[in-house]
Amino acid sequence: AALQGRLNGPLHDLALSTELSGELAAQGWPRGPVTARLTLQGLPDRPVGELTAQGVLLGAPLQLAVKGQRGADSGLRVAIERADWKSAHAEGALDMPRGASLPLGRVELRMARLDDLHALLGQPLRGAVSASLEAGQREAHVHLEARNAGLADSATTERAELALTVANLLQRPVVDGRLSVDGLAAGAIRGAVKLDASGPLN
C-alpha cells in the first residue's frame, strides 16, 4: 500500500487531499486493487469534503462515497451516497445541528448473504441481516432483523428481531425495547426467546 497527501492554501481556507492505493487479499482469494481518496476544502471553519473508495475486494467490486459539509449555521451534515460490496449496502444521512450533542437522521445497513464475510472472519456464516438507526431530537430508534442467520452447523435462528427506542438519551434515558428469537437451534437445544425491557436505566 502507498499513502500520499497534500495540504495547501491560507490558514483560514486550507485544502487537504490524500490518496491510499494498494492491493488487498485474503486466504484463498487473489489480490485486488483498492484505492481510497479523501478531499477536504474550507478548513478549518467551513469544511466540505468527500471520502471515496473503489476497487476489488475478495473478487467483488467495492464502491464507497461519503460526503460531509458544514453549513452556514455551523451544523455538520454527513451523507452516505454510495456504499456497496457484494450483498452489503448502506445508505443514509446524519446532521449535527449547531449546539446539538447527538446527530440527527437515519442510517440503514443490510446484507443479504452473511456468508460474504466468510473469508474475512474465518467463520461459516449464513443468513441475512438488516439494521437501521433513526435519531430524532427527543428519541432514537434502533431496529435489527436477522433471518436464517447464525454459524453454520453450530447455532442458527429462523428469525431474530430487536426493536429499541431510547428517549431523553443525554439526561435521563428511558428505554422501551423488545427482543424476539424464533426457531433457535444450538446443538440439541431448540426453542424461542422473547425479552421485553422498559423504563429508566435505574
Side-chain angles (χ1 to χ4, degrees), residues 25-195:
Q27 186 174 1
W29 291 87
R31 292 184 179 184
V34 175
T35 302
R37 293 183 178 90
L38 173 64
T39 58
L40 290 170
Q41 297 177 337
L43 295 170
D45 296 329
R46 298 286 297 274
V48 177
E50 182 179 24
L51 171 65
T52 61
Q54 55 275 324
V56 178
L57 177 61
L58 302 183
L62 170 67
Q63 295 288 335
L64 175 67
V66 180
K67 288 188 175 182
Q69 181 175 1
R70 186 176 296 279
D73 60 351
S74 297
L76 180 64
R77 177 177 177 81
V78 177
I80 303 174
E81 296 193 340
R82 185 171 63 255
D84 295 284
W85 175 72
K86 290 195 173 184
S87 67
H89 173 79
E91 61 184 56
L94 293 173
D95 292 286
M96 180 70 81
R98 183 178 181 181
S101 300
L102 293 172
L104 309 176
R106 182 178 178 88
V107 176
E108 298 181 5
L109 171 67
R110 63 178 181 266
M111 194 164 199
R113 296 184 303 275
L114 289 175
D115 190 57
D116 290 341
L117 299 172
H118 187 179
L120 295 176
L121 302 180
Q123 297 290 336
L125 299 178
R126 56 175 290 187
V129 65
S130 62
S132 66
L133 167 65
E134 185 172 359
Q137 294 182 348
R138 296 186 177 182
E139 58 186 26
H141 304 274
V142 176
H143 184 261
L144 175 66
E145 183 176 4
R147 292 185 177 274
N148 300 317
L151 294 172
D153 302 324
S154 180
T156 59
T157 177
E158 293 179 1
R159 183 176 183 270
E161 182 180 16
L162 171 66
L164 178 66
T165 298
V166 183
N168 201 19
L169 186 60
L170 292 178
Q171 299 176 355
R172 191 171 181 265
V174 177
V175 173
D176 183 11
R178 181 184 73 257
L179 172 66
S180 62
V181 180
D182 298 314
L184 176 65
I189 298 176
R190 298 291 186 275
V193 176
K194 293 188 182 300
L195 173 67

